[in-house]
Amino acid sequence: MKSFDQLFEELLQRNEERPVGSRSTELLEQGVHAIGKKIVEEAAEVWMAAEHESDEQLALEASQLIYHLQLILISRGIPLSKVEEKL
Ligand SMILES: N=c1c2ncn([C@@H]3O[C@H](COP(=O)(O)OP(=O)(O)OP(=O)(O)O)[C@@H](O)[C@H]3O)c2ncn1[C@@H]1O[C@H](COP(=O)(O)O)[C@@H](O)[C@H]1O
């Protein structure tokens, strides 16, 4: 289990270190276009889970959307504080 902020920190580290075998390394190397496509896919899965699936499945899909959202921010070099300014 980890918090939103802890995941962001971990992904920043993946971006710096680019370890082999990391899903985040793979996506960061593919770039914004590939990550953006995953966001659209995960957003649709969140919607479908909210309409038709269990609370557990919805939570899982939401975590995957959050993961990809964080990754696209990192790929563009946008700090979390910049998003928090808009909340
Ligand atoms: N939170 C996540 C996370 N959520 C989702 N995913 C990835 O997103 C995929 C979910 O998308 P899909 O269901 O579409 O799976 P898929 O069909 O295999 O995806 P595609 O290959 O088709 O794109 C999962 O299989 C993971 O690969 C994640 N990958 C990593 N993390 C966390 O990110 C951190 C760094 O992970 P690594 O970069 O892998 O070391 C760790 O804390 C991980 O727990």
Side-chain angles (χ1 to χ4, degrees):
M1 175 141 67
K2 69 199 64 140
S3 71
F4 188 93
D5 287 14
Q6 284 168 337
L7 178 61
F8 200 83
E9 285 304 315
E10 193 180 355
L11 298 182
L12 281 172
Q13 200 176 352
R14 291 289 189 281
N15 191 35
E16 284 286 310
E17 297 172 358
R18 303 285 176 112
V20 174
S22 154
R23 174 63 169 165
S24 312
T25 297
E26 189 187 336
L27 279 170
L28 286 163
E29 286 179 357
Q30 288 173 12
V32 164
H33 186 84
I35 303 169
K37 280 168 67 180
K38 288 300 296 180
I39 288 175
V40 171
E41 181 187 317
E42 299 301 346
E45 287 175 3
V46 167
W47 175 23
M48 288 300 109
E51 295 239 37
H52 305 295
E53 296 174 27
S54 65
D55 291 356
E56 192 65 29
Q57 190 62 28
L58 175 55
L60 175 65
E61 300 300 352
S63 78
Q64 295 184 350
L65 180 57
I66 287 169
Y67 165 77
H68 289 95
L69 270 178
Q70 290 198 353
L71 215 51
I72 208 164
L73 291 172
I74 288 167
S75 75
R76 283 286 309 270
I78 296 175
L80 213 44
S81 57
K82 185 88 182 159
V83 177
E84 287 169 345
E85 277 171 24
K86 314 288 183 195
L87 295 176

